[in-house]
Amino acid sequence: MKNIMFIAPPAAGKGTQADLIVEKYHIPHISTGDILRDISKENSEIGHYVSEVLSNGGLVKDDITDQLIERRLKQDDCKNGYIIDGFPRNIDQAKIYDKILEKLGYKMGYVFLISIDEKELEKRITGRRVCENCKAIYNINSEIHSPKIDSTCDLCGGRLYQRKDDNIEAFQHRYQLYLEKTEAIINHYKEQGVLYEIDGNGTTEEVFQAIDRIISGDDEK
Ligand code: AMP
């Protein structure tokens, strides 16, 4: 299995797509956002710093994210492929990632660019709820993705919460950052010939099918 990377604006559904890939292909899902949210709960200098950055929608310093990614990719479960989600967020991180792959002897794999309309993103961002226990994702603005019981996870009964940065103000900041920083990253991967563009405006299933056709080798680039 090749490694999989997502480039997508906030709330484009990359977490949901990653879950579907994990379910089908049994590879680990490495989300820098999830790792940083765990660090933000630590009562330490770094914990407080990360917590502050996360609540205002900015980016955590590269030296922190670079180290945590390298440490995570060295673990045995990454040897047969993994999904990397939320990294790289800028061209410096992309270049560091190239070096980490070289060091570990890994190939780039597939880079999926998920494109989606801004209005649709706003709707998804304000309705997103996450299970604090199993991290399952719901959307109360969507009939099919709402939990069956308010504020409760269908899968494990855990409590659902709204991420601190899932509000319109933080979204605007994160979206502008995304547009500014990703252009160079997209060009970087286009040059490497590993970029696949996916229309993210469809349903979860439609988007997954488009991705899976490529992963399972049915689609030639
Ligand atoms: P996400 O769950 O990917 O939307 O990430 C949530 C937040 O974590 C972002 O808004 C950033 O503050 C931080 N974050 C995640 N990945 C990175 C990264 N690669 N570099 C810097 N900050 C990051």
XYZ file of all heavy atoms in Angstrom, residues 31-73:
335
model
N -2.818 12.157 12.084
C -3.346 13.512 11.932
C -2.571 14.433 12.874
O -2.606 14.250 14.089
C -4.836 13.507 12.285
O -5.241 14.763 12.764
N -1.868 15.401 12.298
C -1.112 16.314 13.169
C -2.078 17.105 14.059
O -1.757 17.408 15.198
C -0.220 17.290 12.362
O -0.954 17.788 11.263
C 1.054 16.649 11.917
N -3.280 17.421 13.532
C -4.282 18.137 14.339
C -4.640 17.326 15.589
O -4.673 17.857 16.698
N -4.888 15.998 15.421
C -5.233 15.145 16.577
C -4.068 15.079 17.562
O -4.267 15.169 18.777
C -5.559 13.709 16.118
C -6.966 13.601 15.530
O -7.749 14.568 15.676
O -7.262 12.560 14.918
N -2.852 14.909 17.035
C -1.681 14.804 17.936
C -1.533 16.127 18.710
O -1.322 16.133 19.916
C -0.389 14.477 17.145
C -0.534 13.142 16.407
C 0.827 14.437 18.084
C 0.628 12.782 15.475
N -1.714 17.248 17.994
C -1.557 18.553 18.659
C -2.683 18.818 19.659
O -2.448 19.402 20.716
C -1.493 19.674 17.612
C -0.184 19.702 16.805
C -0.316 20.603 15.580
C 0.988 20.154 17.677
N -3.893 18.354 19.348
C -4.990 18.532 20.320
C -4.677 17.754 21.597
O -4.950 18.242 22.697
C -6.337 18.094 19.725
C -7.046 19.255 19.001
C -8.420 18.855 18.485
N -8.337 17.958 17.345
C -8.068 18.360 16.099
N -7.901 19.637 15.835
N -7.992 17.489 15.115
N -4.063 16.564 21.467
C -3.672 15.821 22.679
C -2.598 16.594 23.444
O -2.667 16.719 24.664
C -3.147 14.420 22.311
C -4.292 13.487 21.924
O -5.447 13.813 22.264
O -4.033 12.459 21.270
N -1.602 17.127 22.720
C -0.529 17.880 23.390
C -1.116 19.119 24.087
O -0.673 19.493 25.176
C 0.562 18.291 22.371
C 1.248 17.038 21.795
C 1.592 19.240 23.001
C 2.292 17.312 20.721
N -2.145 19.724 23.472
C -2.707 20.971 24.034
C -3.359 20.751 25.397
O -3.607 21.685 26.135
C -3.714 21.593 23.067
O -4.925 20.864 23.089
N -3.626 19.472 25.741
C -4.253 19.187 27.048
C -3.198 19.032 28.141
O -3.519 18.951 29.314
C -5.073 17.893 26.956
C -6.307 18.063 26.072
C -7.077 16.748 25.981
C -8.020 16.754 24.788
N -8.126 15.459 24.124
N -1.912 18.937 27.724
C -0.848 18.752 28.717
C -0.626 20.035 29.507
O -0.640 21.123 28.930
C 0.476 18.385 28.019
C 0.471 16.998 27.439
C 1.700 16.745 26.548
O 2.647 17.557 26.569
O 1.665 15.733 25.824
N -0.392 19.869 30.795
C -0.129 21.032 31.636
C 1.379 21.310 31.633
O 2.085 21.016 32.579
C -0.652 20.760 33.058
C -0.575 22.001 33.913
O -0.359 23.103 33.391
N -0.705 21.834 35.218
N 1.863 21.827 30.503
C 3.297 22.089 30.348
C 3.423 23.335 29.481
O 2.436 23.802 28.903
C 3.970 20.909 29.644
O 3.409 20.768 28.342
N 4.656 23.815 29.348
C 4.859 25.027 28.542
C 4.402 24.782 27.101
O 3.667 25.577 26.521
C 6.352 25.384 28.568
C 6.600 26.832 28.210
C 8.091 27.150 28.245
O 8.782 26.648 29.156
O 8.537 27.870 27.354
N 4.789 23.642 26.549
C 4.424 23.339 25.161
C 2.896 23.136 25.039
O 2.281 23.595 24.076
C 5.253 22.144 24.595
C 4.809 21.797 23.196
C 5.233 20.943 25.443
C 5.731 20.870 22.483
N 2.316 22.492 26.059
C 0.861 22.284 26.068
C 0.115 23.604 26.018
O -0.833 23.776 25.235
N 0.554 24.563 26.817
C -0.126 25.868 26.852
C 0.066 26.617 25.538
O -0.861 27.237 25.023
C 0.400 26.726 28.021
C 0.124 26.093 29.350
N 0.890 26.319 30.469
C -0.828 25.217 29.738
C 0.417 25.608 31.475
N -0.619 24.935 31.050
N 1.290 26.517 24.994
C 1.574 27.194 23.713
C 0.662 26.634 22.606
O -0.004 27.369 21.876
C 3.058 27.030 23.350
C 3.331 27.258 21.875
C 3.309 28.550 21.335
C 3.552 26.180 21.011
C 3.514 28.752 19.976
C 3.760 26.386 19.658
C 3.738 27.664 19.144
O 3.914 27.862 17.804
N 0.609 25.285 22.509
C -0.185 24.650 21.447
C -1.669 24.979 21.634
O -2.376 25.304 20.662
C 0.064 23.118 21.420
C -0.911 22.419 20.499
C 1.494 22.817 20.990
N -2.141 24.966 22.857
C -3.541 25.256 23.128
C -3.910 26.664 22.632
O -4.950 26.868 22.003
C -3.784 25.123 24.632
O -4.995 25.669 24.977
N -3.026 27.601 22.888
C -3.287 28.987 22.462
C -3.324 29.095 20.931
O -4.216 29.712 20.358
C -2.183 29.877 23.046
C -2.182 31.257 22.454
C -2.068 32.336 23.505
O -1.689 32.014 24.645
O -2.366 33.481 23.142
N -2.349 28.463 20.263
C -2.313 28.522 18.792
C -3.571 27.872 18.202
O -4.191 28.413 17.283
C -1.050 27.827 18.221
C -1.063 27.829 16.699
C 0.216 28.499 18.724
N -3.952 26.729 18.758
C -5.125 26.026 18.237
C -6.388 26.868 18.380
O -7.217 26.896 17.475
C -5.316 24.685 18.964
C -4.864 23.450 18.200
C -3.405 23.516 17.796
C -5.130 22.184 18.976
N -6.536 27.573 19.513
C -7.794 28.308 19.659
C -7.867 29.540 18.770
O -8.958 29.989 18.457
C -8.124 28.647 21.110
O -6.997 28.836 21.846
N -6.716 30.080 18.315
C -6.867 31.221 17.399
C -6.691 30.834 15.930
O -6.708 31.694 15.054
C -5.985 32.413 17.826
C -4.517 32.125 17.631
O -4.149 31.370 16.731
N -3.667 32.688 18.472
N -6.542 29.538 15.666
C -6.526 29.073 14.269
C -5.207 29.292 13.539
O -5.148 29.160 12.321
N -4.142 29.633 14.268
C -2.838 29.825 13.617
C -2.123 28.492 13.401
O -2.727 27.432 13.573
N -0.849 28.556 13.035
C -0.081 27.328 12.832
C 0.972 27.168 13.922
O 1.651 28.131 14.288
C 0.636 27.355 11.470
C -0.226 27.158 10.231
C 0.647 27.122 8.992
C -1.063 25.886 10.313
N 1.092 25.949 14.418
C 2.106 25.625 15.418
C 3.484 25.679 14.742
O 3.608 25.387 13.554
C 1.799 24.215 15.980
C 2.909 23.702 16.853
C 0.475 24.234 16.738
N 4.511 26.072 15.515
C 5.863 26.236 14.942
C 6.368 24.961 14.259
O 6.178 23.863 14.771
C 6.852 26.586 16.065
C 6.730 28.017 16.538
C 7.838 28.345 17.521
C 7.410 28.012 18.931
N 8.315 28.318 19.998
N 7.063 25.150 13.129
C 7.524 24.003 12.334
C 8.405 23.038 13.118
O 8.323 21.830 12.915
C 8.314 24.482 11.097
C 7.400 25.069 10.034
O 6.164 24.987 10.198
O 7.926 25.631 9.051
N 9.278 23.565 14.014
C 10.187 22.617 14.681
C 9.414 21.620 15.543
O 9.826 20.467 15.688
C 11.312 23.324 15.453
C 10.803 24.352 16.430
O 9.619 24.710 16.335
O 11.578 24.797 17.295
N 8.268 22.030 16.076
C 7.456 21.100 16.880
C 6.807 20.058 15.962
O 6.908 18.852 16.189
C 6.363 21.868 17.674
C 7.030 22.810 18.682
C 5.385 20.912 18.345
C 6.064 23.644 19.502
N 6.164 20.534 14.867
C 5.448 19.582 13.996
C 6.426 18.649 13.272
O 6.155 17.458 13.128
C 4.566 20.322 12.974
O 5.361 21.299 12.310
C 3.392 20.991 13.631
N 7.586 19.166 12.846
C 8.558 18.330 12.135
C 8.983 17.147 13.011
O 9.041 16.001 12.558
C 9.818 19.125 11.763
C 9.513 20.288 10.829
O 8.387 20.326 10.288
O 10.385 21.166 10.650
N 9.272 17.475 14.282
C 9.737 16.420 15.197
C 8.667 15.390 15.464
O 8.929 14.195 15.480
C 10.124 17.034 16.528
C 11.539 17.548 16.546
C 11.874 18.109 17.928
O 11.487 17.551 18.939
N 12.574 19.218 17.942
N 7.419 15.886 15.653
C 6.396 14.902 16.001
C 6.069 13.987 14.823
O 5.790 12.806 14.991
C 5.161 15.540 16.647
C 4.214 16.458 15.910
C 3.158 15.663 15.199
C 3.561 17.400 16.901
N 6.155 14.519 13.607
C 5.910 13.682 12.424
C 7.020 12.639 12.248
O 6.750 11.463 12.040
C 5.798 14.579 11.155
C 4.380 15.115 11.040
C 6.169 13.848 9.881
C 3.318 14.059 10.841
N 8.266 13.076 12.380
C 9.366 12.122 12.196
C 9.267 10.988 13.223
O 9.390 9.810 12.882
C 10.727 12.835 12.288
C 11.853 11.838 12.107
C 13.196 12.460 11.780
O 13.295 13.694 11.655
O 14.160 11.671 11.660
N 8.995 11.385 14.472
C 8.894 10.380 15.536
C 7.769 9.384 15.228
O 7.908 8.180 15.374
C 8.619 11.089 16.873
C 9.281 10.400 18.042
C 9.063 11.133 19.359
N 9.380 12.554 19.300
C 8.666 13.511 19.903
N 7.588 13.222 20.589
N 9.034 14.773 19.829
N 6.650 9.907 14.745
C 5.489 9.039 14.484
C 5.745 8.100 13.290
O 5.396 6.924 13.319
C 4.249 9.909 14.241
C 2.971 9.127 13.989
C 2.565 8.301 15.210
N 1.447 7.407 14.944
C 1.566 6.162 14.444
N 2.753 5.664 14.163
N 0.500 5.413 14.235
N 6.376 8.630 12.221
C 6.581 7.811 11.013
C 7.610 6.704 11.214
O 7.632 5.728 10.471
C 7.001 8.689 9.828
C 5.967 9.696 9.338
C 6.460 10.400 8.085
C 4.633 9.021 9.055
